[in-house]
Amino acid sequence: MNALIITVVRSGSSRLLQSIASHYGQEGIFEPTTPDYRREFDPSSDIVKIAIQTLSVDEHIELINKFDNVILLDRKDVIAQSESYLNLWNVLGGRYDSKYISKSFTQEQIKDTVYKFNKWKKDLKEISNRINKPIIYLEDLLEFKAIEGVEYDTNFFKPEYKLRQYTKQAI
């Protein structure tokens, strides 16, 4: 099995990578175009996840042509996505797979982050249009919806795997 996941960050893409790799009994290749995770991969046999902002639209298209299966992934709730991104860098120090209790951010911080996300979402939409493939959303995965041509282990999307945690309210 080979598959390429092109994703806007904080869309459940690490979970999706793990769930596909688990289903097929393979190792998932995490963001090999991101400087901290650079790594060689084989498009003919690997399951790979790449963040949209690490390559140009044209570079993504070139890479897409080397894979049999391509998934474009995003998240519908851009505010929650932006808050998750801010928590990733301000609370978790970049530890993308750690559970956390969400910190609040100013409207200006959220606005600036939404601006970044809108650029990345625009790039993903352009890729979607150019290759005539729909974007899958985290919200769909949480409902265990099928992905055309690719199987995944839905257990990875059960509530207990959610990274954002909430404190219990005192009664």
Side-chain angles (χ1 to χ4, degrees), residues 57-104:
V57 169
D58 288 335
E59 289 170 321
H60 280 295
I61 298 292
E62 184 179 322
L63 191 55
I64 284 167
N65 291 325
K66 297 176 182 178
F67 283 83
D68 296 326
N69 301 286
V70 176
I71 300 165
L72 306 177
L73 182 67
D74 198 0
R75 185 173 182 170
K76 292 177 183 174
D77 186 344
V78 70
I79 300 298
Q81 192 174 28
S82 297
E83 290 170 344
S84 178
Y85 184 80
L86 287 165
N87 276 286
L88 171 66
W89 295 110
N90 294 298
V91 175
L92 300 173
R95 292 183 314 277
Y96 65 90
D97 59 352
S98 297
K99 291 190 179 216
Y100 65 96
I101 295 175
S102 187
K103 178 182 177 240
S104 295

Side-chain angles (χ1 to χ4, degrees), residues 4-56:
L4 175 63
I5 303 165
I6 299 175
T7 184
V8 178
V9 294
R10 307 316 282 175
S11 296
S13 57
S14 295
R15 284 274 176 250
L16 182 58
L17 176 67
Q18 292 169 331
S19 72
I20 294 170
S22 172
H23 179 82
Y24 290 101
Q26 290 179 234
E27 176 189 7
I29 310 295
F30 179 85
E31 297 190 16
T33 57
T34 299
D36 288 349
Y37 304 107
R38 274 212 198 279
R39 172 174 177 187
E40 294 295 319
F41 60 92
D42 181 353
S44 69
S45 61
D46 286 334
I47 301 168
V48 179
K49 172 193 115 154
I50 295 180
I52 188 76
Q53 71 269 23
T54 64
L55 297 173
S56 71

Side-chain angles (χ1 to χ4, degrees), residues 118-161:
N118 285 336
K119 160 71 171 106
W120 298 333
K121 288 171 178 289
K122 181 178 171 248
D123 287 350
L124 191 67
K125 183 70 172 163
E126 181 179 341
I127 291 168
S128 171
N129 290 335
R130 285 177 59 181
I131 68 169
N132 195 29
K133 188 147 190 85
I135 297 170
I136 304 293
Y137 292 92
L138 170 61
E139 292 83 351
D140 298 327
L141 298 174
L142 294 173
E143 294 177 3
F144 313 124
K145 291 186 178 173
I147 299 172
E148 184 181 339
V150 177
E151 299 292 325
Y152 68 102
D153 182 347
T154 58
N155 288 321
F156 284 85
F157 292 96
K158 289 186 175 176
E160 59 265 27
Y161 289 104

